[in-house]
Amino acid sequence: TVGGAVILAENALALPTLPARGEVTLLNTVPSAGAELVKLGAVPPRARIVNLAGEPLKRSLVDAVYATGTVAEVRNMYG
């Protein structure tokens, strides 16, 4: 495909309330917010890549993100 859009949220935890949440294909956030999205079942269904940065990343979170069944790649952007 060609083109795309940037969807901004005030913070990652606001993502589930955004009208465009179903269009998100890449998620960029800190691990603590990513863990909360996983816990809430709120990782966008079209998200294929999740970038996690700014905090240490635990393997258990990586496994939980992959367990959503939609994410193809988790990137550790810390340090």
Side-chain angles (χ1 to χ4, degrees):
T1 61
V2 177
V6 175
I7 300 166
L8 297 177
E10 187 172 327
N11 63 67
L13 299 180
L15 186 59
T17 65
L18 293 179
R21 67 186 168 276
E23 299 175 38
V24 174
T25 58
L26 182 145
L27 178 61
N28 193 67
T29 190
V30 295
S32 56
E36 190 64 20
L37 290 172
V38 168
K39 179 179 157 185
L40 296 171
V43 174
R46 291 185 59 207
R48 299 295 176 258
I49 299 171
V50 176
N51 292 335
L52 297 166
E55 301 168 354
L57 177 58
K58 294 182 181 178
R59 179 64 197 206
S60 59
L61 177 55
V62 173
D63 293 341
V65 171
Y66 280 126
T68 65
T70 61
V71 176
E73 186 175 347
V74 177
R75 297 176 181 165
N76 182 1
M77 310 296 278
Y78 183 69

